[in-house]
Amino acid sequence: MNTLRISASIRAFRREQRMSQTVFGEYFGVTAQAVSKWERELSCPDIILLPEIARVLGISIAYLLGAE
């Protein structure tokens, strides 16, 4: 899993939408602390969340994972 691509995509989308980490996390049932860790590459979202994260970001799962 390409954590850099996931982290950068989440951070860029959230900032572009002027969305707090709390609000972004509410989409997926996680805390702001979890989103912060994703953005800082300290952890990765659970694999079950990846399709929904990709959908919200408007990108493919392959792109999110760095396969495109």
Side-chain angles (χ1 to χ4, degrees):
M1 190 179 307
N2 186 339
T3 59
L4 181 57
R5 174 73 59 89
I6 294 169
S7 298
S9 294
I10 290 171
R11 185 174 40 255
F13 172 83
R14 189 182 60 73
R15 288 180 176 171
E16 182 180 289
Q17 299 298 314
R18 298 177 186 222
M19 186 183 303
S20 69
Q21 290 175 333
T22 300
V23 171
F24 187 80
E26 287 173 355
Y27 279 104
F28 313 105
V30 300
T31 64
Q33 291 82 0
V35 175
S36 175
K37 287 181 179 181
W38 296 348
E39 291 182 355
R40 292 180 293 138
E41 300 178 50
L42 298 176
S43 68
C44 293
D46 191 281
I47 196 165
I48 200 153
L49 296 176
L50 295 182
E52 185 65 10
I53 290 172
R55 186 191 68 73
V56 168
L57 298 179
I59 59 177
S60 70
I61 294 173
Y63 182 85
L64 183 64
L65 296 176
E68 285 184 358

Tab-separated table of all heavy atoms in Angstrom:
chain	number	residue	atom	x	y	z
A	1	MET	N	0.850	-1.174	0.000
A	1	MET	CA	0.000	0.000	0.000
A	1	MET	C	0.896	1.238	0.000
A	1	MET	O	1.834	1.333	0.774
A	1	MET	CB	-0.886	-0.036	1.242
A	1	MET	CG	-1.966	1.011	1.233
A	1	MET	SD	-3.054	0.985	2.685
A	1	MET	CE	-3.609	-0.684	2.761
A	2	ASN	N	0.620	2.159	-0.857
A	2	ASN	CA	1.403	3.381	-0.978
A	2	ASN	C	0.846	4.416	0.004
A	2	ASN	O	-0.054	5.172	-0.324
A	2	ASN	CB	1.342	3.905	-2.408
A	2	ASN	CG	2.236	5.089	-2.632
A	2	ASN	OD1	2.616	5.784	-1.701
A	2	ASN	ND2	2.569	5.325	-3.875
A	3	THR	N	1.410	4.454	1.203
A	3	THR	CA	0.866	5.363	2.224
A	3	THR	C	1.047	6.818	1.845
A	3	THR	O	0.237	7.652	2.218
A	3	THR	CB	1.499	5.110	3.605
A	3	THR	OG1	2.910	5.283	3.520
A	3	THR	CG2	1.169	3.727	4.113
A	4	LEU	N	2.102	7.126	1.087
A	4	LEU	CA	2.318	8.507	0.673
A	4	LEU	C	1.175	8.988	-0.206
A	4	LEU	O	0.665	10.084	-0.030
A	4	LEU	CB	3.651	8.651	-0.055
A	4	LEU	CG	4.009	10.056	-0.521
A	4	LEU	CD1	4.025	11.018	0.660
A	4	LEU	CD2	5.358	10.046	-1.198
A	5	ARG	N	0.744	8.171	-1.153
A	5	ARG	CA	-0.360	8.561	-2.044
A	5	ARG	C	-1.647	8.719	-1.245
A	5	ARG	O	-2.381	9.671	-1.435
A	5	ARG	CB	-0.528	7.511	-3.138
A	5	ARG	CG	-1.714	7.704	-4.058
A	5	ARG	CD	-1.589	8.843	-5.063
A	5	ARG	NE	-0.484	8.721	-5.950
A	5	ARG	CZ	-0.484	8.097	-7.116
A	5	ARG	NH1	-1.568	7.514	-7.549
A	5	ARG	NH2	0.598	8.049	-7.849
A	6	ILE	N	-1.927	7.791	-0.351
A	6	ILE	CA	-3.142	7.859	0.452
A	6	ILE	C	-3.118	9.122	1.319
A	6	ILE	O	-4.075	9.887	1.349
A	6	ILE	CB	-3.305	6.603	1.326
A	6	ILE	CG1	-3.530	5.374	0.441
A	6	ILE	CG2	-4.449	6.767	2.320
A	6	ILE	CD1	-3.440	4.057	1.179
A	7	SER	N	-2.016	9.344	2.000
A	7	SER	CA	-1.887	10.511	2.884
A	7	SER	C	-2.052	11.819	2.128
A	7	SER	O	-2.799	12.697	2.544
A	7	SER	CB	-0.515	10.502	3.564
A	7	SER	OG	-0.363	9.361	4.358
A	8	ALA	N	-1.347	11.933	1.005
A	8	ALA	CA	-1.396	13.164	0.220
A	8	ALA	C	-2.787	13.400	-0.349
A	8	ALA	O	-3.272	14.533	-0.366
A	8	ALA	CB	-0.361	13.112	-0.903
A	9	SER	N	-3.450	12.339	-0.810
A	9	SER	CA	-4.789	12.475	-1.385
A	9	SER	C	-5.791	12.932	-0.335
A	9	SER	O	-6.598	13.830	-0.587
A	9	SER	CB	-5.248	11.150	-1.994
A	9	SER	OG	-4.455	10.800	-3.098
A	10	ILE	N	-5.738	12.318	0.825
A	10	ILE	CA	-6.658	12.687	1.897
A	10	ILE	C	-6.418	14.131	2.323
A	10	ILE	O	-7.350	14.932	2.418
A	10	ILE	CB	-6.525	11.724	3.096
A	10	ILE	CG1	-7.081	10.346	2.714
A	10	ILE	CG2	-7.229	12.278	4.337
A	10	ILE	CD1	-6.814	9.259	3.740
A	11	ARG	N	-5.172	14.470	2.570
A	11	ARG	CA	-4.839	15.825	3.032
A	11	ARG	C	-5.243	16.877	1.993
A	11	ARG	O	-5.866	17.884	2.332
A	11	ARG	CB	-3.342	15.922	3.343
A	11	ARG	CG	-2.918	17.237	3.927
A	11	ARG	CD	-1.447	17.270	4.358
A	11	ARG	NE	-0.537	16.591	3.457
A	11	ARG	CZ	0.028	15.393	3.687
A	11	ARG	NH1	-0.217	14.758	4.822
A	11	ARG	NH2	0.847	14.853	2.821
A	12	ALA	N	-4.915	16.634	0.727
A	12	ALA	CA	-5.228	17.611	-0.331
A	12	ALA	C	-6.733	17.798	-0.481
A	12	ALA	O	-7.219	18.931	-0.569
A	12	ALA	CB	-4.614	17.168	-1.653
A	13	PHE	N	-7.481	16.691	-0.513
A	13	PHE	CA	-8.927	16.789	-0.667
A	13	PHE	C	-9.538	17.533	0.508
A	13	PHE	O	-10.348	18.432	0.325
A	13	PHE	CB	-9.550	15.396	-0.758
A	13	PHE	CG	-11.055	15.431	-0.731
A	13	PHE	CD1	-11.774	15.675	-1.886
A	13	PHE	CD2	-11.752	15.235	0.450
A	13	PHE	CE1	-13.162	15.723	-1.857
A	13	PHE	CE2	-13.134	15.275	0.487
A	13	PHE	CZ	-13.845	15.519	-0.677
A	14	ARG	N	-9.156	17.165	1.715
A	14	ARG	CA	-9.738	17.764	2.905
A	14	ARG	C	-9.474	19.260	2.952
A	14	ARG	O	-10.379	20.052	3.216
A	14	ARG	CB	-9.174	17.066	4.148
A	14	ARG	CG	-9.867	17.461	5.429
A	14	ARG	CD	-9.246	16.790	6.621
A	14	ARG	NE	-7.852	17.114	6.806
A	14	ARG	CZ	-7.401	18.293	7.246
A	14	ARG	NH1	-8.232	19.264	7.548
A	14	ARG	NH2	-6.103	18.501	7.406
A	15	ARG	N	-8.259	19.646	2.629
A	15	ARG	CA	-7.923	21.074	2.632
A	15	ARG	C	-8.642	21.825	1.514
A	15	ARG	O	-9.101	22.945	1.719
A	15	ARG	CB	-6.419	21.253	2.513
A	15	ARG	CG	-5.708	20.854	3.790
A	15	ARG	CD	-4.229	21.034	3.668
A	15	ARG	NE	-3.567	20.735	4.937
A	15	ARG	CZ	-2.261	20.640	5.066
A	15	ARG	NH1	-1.468	20.828	4.024
A	15	ARG	NH2	-1.730	20.364	6.238
A	16	GLU	N	-8.716	21.207	0.348
A	16	GLU	CA	-9.408	21.828	-0.785
A	16	GLU	C	-10.869	22.101	-0.447
A	16	GLU	O	-11.434	23.125	-0.830
A	16	GLU	CB	-9.324	20.911	-1.998
A	16	GLU	CG	-9.958	21.449	-3.245
A	16	GLU	CD	-9.814	20.465	-4.387
A	16	GLU	OE1	-8.686	20.311	-4.876
A	16	GLU	OE2	-10.821	19.853	-4.766
A	17	GLN	N	-11.479	21.178	0.278
A	17	GLN	CA	-12.879	21.306	0.674
A	17	GLN	C	-13.045	22.134	1.942
A	17	GLN	O	-14.179	22.322	2.404
A	17	GLN	CB	-13.495	19.918	0.891
A	17	GLN	CG	-13.503	19.043	-0.332
A	17	GLN	CD	-14.324	19.641	-1.446
A	17	GLN	OE1	-15.432	20.107	-1.233
A	17	GLN	NE2	-13.767	19.635	-2.647
A	18	ARG	N	-11.929	22.591	2.507
A	18	ARG	CA	-11.943	23.356	3.765
A	18	ARG	C	-12.695	22.610	4.856
A	18	ARG	O	-13.542	23.159	5.566
A	18	ARG	CB	-12.513	24.745	3.555
A	18	ARG	CG	-11.691	25.544	2.590
A	18	ARG	CD	-12.290	26.880	2.317
A	18	ARG	NE	-11.502	27.520	1.275
A	18	ARG	CZ	-11.156	28.789	1.296
A	18	ARG	NH1	-11.527	29.558	2.279
A	18	ARG	NH2	-10.452	29.287	0.315
A	19	MET	N	-12.360	21.327	4.938
A	19	MET	CA	-13.036	20.412	5.849
A	19	MET	C	-12.094	20.074	7.006
A	19	MET	O	-10.912	19.832	6.787
A	19	MET	CB	-13.379	19.138	5.056
A	19	MET	CG	-14.212	18.134	5.778
A	19	MET	SD	-14.477	16.649	4.762
A	19	MET	CE	-15.219	17.317	3.288
A	20	SER	N	-12.621	20.068	8.198
A	20	SER	CA	-11.801	19.689	9.347
A	20	SER	C	-11.553	18.178	9.336
A	20	SER	O	-12.262	17.416	8.672
A	20	SER	CB	-12.503	20.078	10.650
A	20	SER	OG	-13.641	19.260	10.849
A	21	GLN	N	-10.556	17.775	10.083
A	21	GLN	CA	-10.289	16.342	10.220
A	21	GLN	C	-11.468	15.655	10.897
A	21	GLN	O	-11.792	14.512	10.568
A	21	GLN	CB	-9.001	16.118	11.004
A	21	GLN	CG	-7.777	16.533	10.234
A	21	GLN	CD	-6.503	16.421	11.034
A	21	GLN	OE1	-6.507	16.506	12.265
A	21	GLN	NE2	-5.391	16.238	10.342
A	22	THR	N	-12.121	16.355	11.794
A	22	THR	CA	-13.285	15.792	12.478
A	22	THR	C	-14.404	15.486	11.490
A	22	THR	O	-14.954	14.383	11.490
A	22	THR	CB	-13.787	16.754	13.570
A	22	THR	OG1	-12.742	16.970	14.515
A	22	THR	CG2	-15.023	16.203	14.270
A	23	VAL	N	-14.728	16.450	10.646
A	23	VAL	CA	-15.805	16.261	9.671
A	23	VAL	C	-15.433	15.171	8.674
A	23	VAL	O	-16.253	14.305	8.356
A	23	VAL	CB	-16.138	17.585	8.951
A	23	VAL	CG1	-17.089	17.365	7.793
A	23	VAL	CG2	-16.716	18.589	9.938
A	24	PHE	N	-14.191	15.185	8.187
A	24	PHE	CA	-13.760	14.150	7.247
A	24	PHE	C	-13.885	12.771	7.901
A	24	PHE	O	-14.396	11.835	7.299
A	24	PHE	CB	-12.326	14.404	6.787
A	24	PHE	CG	-11.879	13.467	5.702
A	24	PHE	CD1	-12.238	13.689	4.386
A	24	PHE	CD2	-11.096	12.370	5.994
A	24	PHE	CE1	-11.841	12.833	3.379
A	24	PHE	CE2	-10.685	11.507	4.996
A	24	PHE	CZ	-11.056	11.734	3.684
A	25	GLY	N	-13.448	12.661	9.132
A	25	GLY	CA	-13.517	11.388	9.843
A	25	GLY	C	-14.933	10.889	10.045
A	25	GLY	O	-15.180	9.679	10.028
A	26	GLU	N	-15.878	11.820	10.200
A	26	GLU	CA	-17.279	11.426	10.383
A	26	GLU	C	-17.829	10.667	9.177
A	26	GLU	O	-18.698	9.820	9.326
A	26	GLU	CB	-18.137	12.656	10.682
A	26	GLU	CG	-17.910	13.197	12.078
A	26	GLU	CD	-18.624	14.511	12.344
A	26	GLU	OE1	-19.243	15.086	11.418
A	26	GLU	OE2	-18.551	14.971	13.500
A	27	TYR	N	-17.311	10.953	7.976
A	27	TYR	CA	-17.732	10.203	6.789
A	27	TYR	C	-17.466	8.710	6.949
A	27	TYR	O	-18.158	7.879	6.372
A	27	TYR	CB	-16.971	10.679	5.542
A	27	TYR	CG	-17.488	11.922	4.904
A	27	TYR	CD1	-16.822	13.131	5.076
A	27	TYR	CD2	-18.618	11.911	4.093
A	27	TYR	CE1	-17.266	14.290	4.465
A	27	TYR	CE2	-19.076	13.061	3.484
A	27	TYR	CZ	-18.406	14.245	3.676
A	27	TYR	OH	-18.848	15.376	3.076
A	28	PHE	N	-16.421	8.385	7.709
A	28	PHE	CA	-15.957	7.000	7.801
A	28	PHE	C	-16.069	6.404	9.195
A	28	PHE	O	-15.625	5.290	9.426
A	28	PHE	CB	-14.499	6.927	7.321
A	28	PHE	CG	-14.293	7.667	6.038
A	28	PHE	CD1	-13.661	8.902	6.028
A	28	PHE	CD2	-14.788	7.164	4.846
A	28	PHE	CE1	-13.501	9.609	4.840
A	28	PHE	CE2	-14.641	7.859	3.663
A	28	PHE	CZ	-13.995	9.080	3.661
A	29	GLY	N	-16.639	7.173	10.103
A	29	GLY	CA	-16.817	6.665	11.463
A	29	GLY	C	-15.519	6.559	12.241
A	29	GLY	O	-15.360	5.659	13.065
A	30	VAL	N	-14.585	7.494	11.971
A	30	VAL	CA	-13.311	7.500	12.695
A	30	VAL	C	-13.104	8.876	13.324
A	30	VAL	O	-13.761	9.847	12.968
A	30	VAL	CB	-12.115	7.148	11.773
A	30	VAL	CG1	-12.294	5.766	11.162
A	30	VAL	CG2	-11.914	8.192	10.699
A	31	THR	N	-12.161	8.953	14.225
A	31	THR	CA	-11.882	10.199	14.930
A	31	THR	C	-10.966	11.119	14.116
A	31	THR	O	-10.303	10.682	13.168
A	31	THR	CB	-11.176	9.913	16.268
A	31	THR	OG1	-9.901	9.315	15.985
A	31	THR	CG2	-12.017	8.998	17.162
A	32	ALA	N	-10.920	12.372	14.549
A	32	ALA	CA	-9.986	13.327	13.949
A	32	ALA	C	-8.547	12.856	14.145
A	32	ALA	O	-7.697	13.055	13.270
A	32	ALA	CB	-10.178	14.708	14.569
A	33	GLN	N	-8.283	12.202	15.258
A	33	GLN	CA	-6.941	11.694	15.525
A	33	GLN	C	-6.549	10.635	14.500
A	33	GLN	O	-5.397	10.586	14.052
A	33	GLN	CB	-6.841	11.114	16.943
A	33	GLN	CG	-6.924	12.153	18.030
A	33	GLN	CD	-8.359	12.563	18.380
A	33	GLN	OE1	-9.336	12.083	17.813
A	33	GLN	NE2	-8.495	13.490	19.322
A	34	ALA	N	-7.508	9.792	14.108
A	34	ALA	CA	-7.228	8.775	13.089
A	34	ALA	C	-6.900	9.432	11.758
A	34	ALA	O	-5.932	9.056	11.089
A	34	ALA	CB	-8.414	7.824	12.934
A	35	VAL	N	-7.676	10.438	11.377
A	35	VAL	CA	-7.419	11.156	10.120
A	35	VAL	C	-6.051	11.823	10.181
A	35	VAL	O	-5.280	11.777	9.210
A	35	VAL	CB	-8.529	12.190	9.829
A	35	VAL	CG1	-8.190	13.011	8.598
A	35	VAL	CG2	-9.876	11.496	9.657
A	36	SER	N	-5.721	12.422	11.305
A	36	SER	CA	-4.418	13.052	11.474
A	36	SER	C	-3.293	12.038	11.272
A	36	SER	O	-2.303	12.319	10.600
A	36	SER	CB	-4.310	13.673	12.867
A	36	SER	OG	-3.021	14.192	13.087
A	37	LYS	N	-3.439	10.865	11.837
A	37	LYS	CA	-2.421	9.811	11.672
A	37	LYS	C	-2.317	9.365	10.219
A	37	LYS	O	-1.219	9.104	9.731
A	37	LYS	CB	-2.724	8.620	12.577
A	37	LYS	CG	-2.444	8.881	14.031
A	37	LYS	CD	-2.735	7.674	14.883
A	37	LYS	CE	-2.430	7.944	16.334
A	37	LYS	NZ	-2.681	6.760	17.173
A	38	TRP	N	-3.450	9.271	9.514
A	38	TRP	CA	-3.417	8.921	8.089
A	38	TRP	C	-2.627	9.970	7.327
A	38	TRP	O	-1.781	9.636	6.503
A	38	TRP	CB	-4.817	8.863	7.500
A	38	TRP	CG	-5.737	7.824	8.047
A	38	TRP	CD1	-5.418	6.762	8.849
A	38	TRP	CD2	-7.147	7.756	7.840
A	38	TRP	NE1	-6.550	6.047	9.151
A	38	TRP	CE2	-7.627	6.637	8.543
A	38	TRP	CE3	-8.047	8.544	7.135
A	38	TRP	CZ2	-8.969	6.272	8.542
A	38	TRP	CZ3	-9.382	8.179	7.139
A	38	TRP	CH2	-9.837	7.058	7.832
A	39	GLU	N	-2.909	11.239	7.599
A	39	GLU	CA	-2.266	12.335	6.871
A	39	GLU	C	-0.778	12.432	7.177
A	39	GLU	O	-0.005	12.884	6.331
A	39	GLU	CB	-2.951	13.660	7.185
A	39	GLU	CG	-4.348	13.761	6.621
A	39	GLU	CD	-5.011	15.096	6.882
A	39	GLU	OE1	-4.437	15.947	7.598
A	39	GLU	OE2	-6.120	15.298	6.347
A	40	ARG	N	-0.369	12.026	8.356
A	40	ARG	CA	1.044	12.096	8.739
A	40	ARG	C	1.778	10.781	8.488
A	40	ARG	O	2.933	10.635	8.877
A	40	ARG	CB	1.174	12.494	10.208
A	40	ARG	CG	0.727	13.933	10.454
A	40	ARG	CD	0.858	14.340	11.898
A	40	ARG	NE	-0.080	13.593	12.735
A	40	ARG	CZ	0.208	13.069	13.922
A	40	ARG	NH1	1.401	13.216	14.448
A	40	ARG	NH2	-0.707	12.399	14.599
A	41	GLU	N	1.104	9.840	7.829
A	41	GLU	CA	1.671	8.535	7.478
A	41	GLU	C	2.078	7.711	8.694
A	41	GLU	O	2.994	6.895	8.632
A	41	GLU	CB	2.868	8.698	6.545
A	41	GLU	CG	2.541	9.375	5.238
A	41	GLU	CD	3.753	9.560	4.369
A	41	GLU	OE1	4.495	8.574	4.166
A	41	GLU	OE2	3.953	10.685	3.899
A	42	LEU	N	1.382	7.927	9.812
A	42	LEU	CA	1.648	7.144	11.008
A	42	LEU	C	0.807	5.874	11.043
A	42	LEU	O	1.121	4.943	11.780
A	42	LEU	CB	1.398	7.981	12.261
A	42	LEU	CG	2.291	9.209	12.411
A	42	LEU	CD1	1.894	10.008	13.642
A	42	LEU	CD2	3.757	8.805	12.460
A	43	SER	N	-0.273	5.889	10.273
A	43	SER	CA	-1.109	4.704	10.124
A	43	SER	C	-1.853	4.813	8.804
A	43	SER	O	-1.812	5.857	8.150
A	43	SER	CB	-2.102	4.558	11.288
A	43	SER	OG	-3.071	5.588	11.244
A	44	CYS	N	-2.502	3.732	8.431
A	44	CYS	CA	-3.275	3.698	7.186
A	44	CYS	C	-4.728	3.411	7.528
A	44	CYS	O	-5.022	2.736	8.516
A	44	CYS	CB	-2.782	2.577	6.276
A	44	CYS	SG	-1.145	2.855	5.652
A	45	PRO	N	-5.631	3.892	6.685
A	45	PRO	CA	-7.035	3.550	6.896
A	45	PRO	C	-7.227	2.040	6.785
A	45	PRO	O	-6.498	1.363	6.049
A	45	PRO	CB	-7.763	4.253	5.743
A	45	PRO	CG	-6.792	5.212	5.165
A	45	PRO	CD	-5.434	4.745	5.517
A	46	ASP	N	-8.189	1.537	7.507
A	46	ASP	CA	-8.535	0.118	7.386
A	46	ASP	C	-8.909	-0.174	5.943
A	46	ASP	O	-9.558	0.642	5.280
A	46	ASP	CB	-9.717	-0.187	8.316
A	46	ASP	CG	-9.962	-1.662	8.452
A	46	ASP	OD1	-10.581	-2.222	7.523
A	46	ASP	OD2	-9.544	-2.246	9.453
A	47	ILE	N	-8.512	-1.309	5.448
A	47	ILE	CA	-8.734	-1.660	4.046
A	47	ILE	C	-10.216	-1.610	3.664
A	47	ILE	O	-10.554	-1.271	2.531
A	47	ILE	CB	-8.106	-3.028	3.724
A	47	ILE	CG1	-7.997	-3.200	2.213
A	47	ILE	CG2	-8.875	-4.152	4.381
A	47	ILE	CD1	-7.092	-4.318	1.799
A	48	ILE	N	-11.079	-1.890	4.595
A	48	ILE	CA	-12.519	-1.865	4.303
A	48	ILE	C	-13.013	-0.448	4.003
A	48	ILE	O	-14.037	-0.267	3.341
A	48	ILE	CB	-13.327	-2.523	5.437
A	48	ILE	CG1	-14.686	-2.931	4.934
A	48	ILE	CG2	-13.449	-1.614	6.632
A	48	ILE	CD1	-15.279	-4.079	5.676
A	49	LEU	N	-12.274	0.573	4.459
A	49	LEU	CA	-12.658	1.966	4.221
A	49	LEU	C	-12.183	2.495	2.870
A	49	LEU	O	-12.672	3.527	2.405
A	49	LEU	CB	-12.092	2.863	5.323
A	49	LEU	CG	-12.609	2.630	6.732
A	49	LEU	CD1	-11.874	3.524	7.712
A	49	LEU	CD2	-14.098	2.854	6.805
A	50	LEU	N	-11.238	1.818	2.233
A	50	LEU	CA	-10.625	2.350	1.017
A	50	LEU	C	-11.616	2.623	-0.116
A	50	LEU	O	-11.528	3.689	-0.750
A	50	LEU	CB	-9.490	1.443	0.549
A	50	LEU	CG	-8.302	1.359	1.504
A	50	LEU	CD1	-7.221	0.464	0.923
A	50	LEU	CD2	-7.751	2.726	1.846
A	51	PRO	N	-12.571	1.750	-0.395
A	51	PRO	CA	-13.524	2.078	-1.469
A	51	PRO	C	-14.323	3.357	-1.182
A	51	PRO	O	-14.520	4.184	-2.078
A	51	PRO	CB	-14.451	0.859	-1.531
A	51	PRO	CG	-13.645	-0.248	-0.953
A	51	PRO	CD	-12.789	0.391	0.099
A	52	GLU	N	-14.738	3.538	0.048
A	52	GLU	CA	-15.514	4.732	0.401
A	52	GLU	C	-14.633	5.981	0.388
A	52	GLU	O	-15.061	7.047	-0.058
A	52	GLU	CB	-16.183	4.553	1.767
A	52	GLU	CG	-17.090	5.691	2.159
A	52	GLU	CD	-18.321	5.846	1.262
A	52	GLU	OE1	-18.618	4.974	0.432
A	52	GLU	OE2	-18.994	6.880	1.407
A	53	ILE	N	-13.391	5.856	0.854
A	53	ILE	CA	-12.475	6.996	0.806
A	53	ILE	C	-12.238	7.407	-0.639
A	53	ILE	O	-12.306	8.597	-0.973
A	53	ILE	CB	-11.142	6.666	1.515
A	53	ILE	CG1	-11.369	6.558	3.024
A	53	ILE	CG2	-10.082	7.723	1.206
A	53	ILE	CD1	-10.179	6.054	3.805
A	54	ALA	N	-11.993	6.444	-1.511
A	54	ALA	CA	-11.780	6.744	-2.927
A	54	ALA	C	-13.009	7.415	-3.526
A	54	ALA	O	-12.894	8.385	-4.284
A	54	ALA	CB	-11.430	5.472	-3.696
A	55	ARG	N	-14.184	6.935	-3.170
A	55	ARG	CA	-15.423	7.519	-3.692
A	55	ARG	C	-15.567	8.971	-3.245
A	55	ARG	O	-15.843	9.855	-4.043
A	55	ARG	CB	-16.641	6.709	-3.239
A	55	ARG	CG	-17.953	7.187	-3.887
A	55	ARG	CD	-19.172	6.565	-3.232
A	55	ARG	NE	-19.383	7.025	-1.868
A	55	ARG	CZ	-19.828	8.247	-1.527
A	55	ARG	NH1	-20.088	9.140	-2.452
A	55	ARG	NH2	-20.013	8.569	-0.261
A	56	VAL	N	-15.344	9.233	-1.958
A	56	VAL	CA	-15.462	10.589	-1.427
A	56	VAL	C	-14.422	11.509	-2.072
A	56	VAL	O	-14.722	12.660	-2.389
A	56	VAL	CB	-15.325	10.585	0.116
A	56	VAL	CG1	-15.146	11.984	0.668
A	56	VAL	CG2	-16.539	9.917	0.750
A	57	LEU	N	-13.218	10.997	-2.298
A	57	LEU	CA	-12.160	11.800	-2.903
A	57	LEU	C	-12.359	11.974	-4.408
A	57	LEU	O	-11.724	12.826	-5.019
A	57	LEU	CB	-10.788	11.171	-2.643
A	57	LEU	CG	-10.357	11.040	-1.184
A	57	LEU	CD1	-8.990	10.387	-1.105
A	57	LEU	CD2	-10.338	12.385	-0.484
A	58	GLY	N	-13.212	11.139	-4.993
A	58	GLY	CA	-13.458	11.228	-6.428
A	58	GLY	C	-12.333	10.641	-7.263
A	58	GLY	O	-12.078	11.100	-8.378
A	59	ILE	N	-11.657	9.633	-6.706
A	59	ILE	CA	-10.559	8.974	-7.410
A	59	ILE	C	-10.769	7.468	-7.362
A	59	ILE	O	-11.585	6.968	-6.587
A	59	ILE	CB	-9.187	9.343	-6.794
A	59	ILE	CG1	-9.125	8.948	-5.315
A	59	ILE	CG2	-8.891	10.823	-6.975
A	59	ILE	CD1	-7.787	9.211	-4.654
A	60	SER	N	-10.029	6.754	-8.187
A	60	SER	CA	-10.133	5.300	-8.186
A	60	SER	C	-9.350	4.714	-7.008
A	60	SER	O	-8.410	5.350	-6.494
A	60	SER	CB	-9.596	4.719	-9.489
A	60	SER	OG	-8.192	4.877	-9.555
A	61	ILE	N	-9.716	3.520	-6.621
A	61	ILE	CA	-8.965	2.827	-5.566
A	61	ILE	C	-7.531	2.594	-6.042
A	61	ILE	O	-6.589	2.743	-5.277
A	61	ILE	CB	-9.648	1.503	-5.176
A	61	ILE	CG1	-10.991	1.780	-4.521
A	61	ILE	CG2	-8.763	0.696	-4.230
A	61	ILE	CD1	-11.813	0.539	-4.245
A	62	ALA	N	-7.379	2.249	-7.317
A	62	ALA	CA	-6.034	2.016	-7.868
A	62	ALA	C	-5.167	3.263	-7.724
A	62	ALA	O	-4.004	3.177	-7.323
A	62	ALA	CB	-6.137	1.588	-9.329
A	63	TYR	N	-5.737	4.429	-8.015
A	63	TYR	CA	-4.979	5.673	-7.871
A	63	TYR	C	-4.642	5.921	-6.400
A	63	TYR	O	-3.524	6.279	-6.058
A	63	TYR	CB	-5.747	6.866	-8.444
A	63	TYR	CG	-4.961	8.138	-8.356
A	63	TYR	CD1	-4.040	8.463	-9.344
A	63	TYR	CD2	-5.106	8.999	-7.277
A	63	TYR	CE1	-3.278	9.626	-9.245
A	63	TYR	CE2	-4.361	10.157	-7.174
A	63	TYR	CZ	-3.455	10.474	-8.170
A	63	TYR	OH	-2.699	11.607	-8.060
A	64	LEU	N	-5.632	5.726	-5.539
A	64	LEU	CA	-5.426	5.926	-4.104
A	64	LEU	C	-4.276	5.066	-3.591
A	64	LEU	O	-3.483	5.501	-2.766
A	64	LEU	CB	-6.724	5.601	-3.347
A	64	LEU	CG	-6.724	5.811	-1.837
A	64	LEU	CD1	-6.540	7.283	-1.495
A	64	LEU	CD2	-8.003	5.286	-1.233
A	65	LEU	N	-4.172	3.856	-4.115
A	65	LEU	CA	-3.127	2.928	-3.677
A	65	LEU	C	-1.812	3.114	-4.428
A	65	LEU	O	-0.845	2.413	-4.172
A	65	LEU	CB	-3.603	1.489	-3.829
A	65	LEU	CG	-4.800	1.110	-2.956
A	65	LEU	CD1	-5.237	-0.308	-3.260
A	65	LEU	CD2	-4.459	1.264	-1.480
A	66	GLY	N	-1.771	4.037	-5.375
A	66	GLY	CA	-0.540	4.288	-6.105
A	66	GLY	C	-0.290	3.328	-7.241
A	66	GLY	O	0.825	3.210	-7.735
A	67	ALA	N	-1.332	2.611	-7.684
A	67	ALA	CA	-1.172	1.638	-8.757
A	67	ALA	C	-1.403	2.254	-10.130
A	67	ALA	O	-1.207	1.605	-11.143
A	67	ALA	CB	-2.138	0.466	-8.545
A	68	GLU	N	-1.848	3.489	-10.200
A	68	GLU	CA	-2.045	4.192	-11.476
A	68	GLU	C	-1.110	5.352	-11.557
A	68	GLU	O	-0.882	6.046	-10.616
A	68	GLU	CB	-3.470	4.762	-11.584
A	68	GLU	CG	-4.507	3.788	-11.865
A	68	GLU	CD	-5.875	4.462	-12.048
A	68	GLU	OE1	-6.042	5.682	-11.920
A	68	GLU	OE2	-6.796	3.714	-12.317
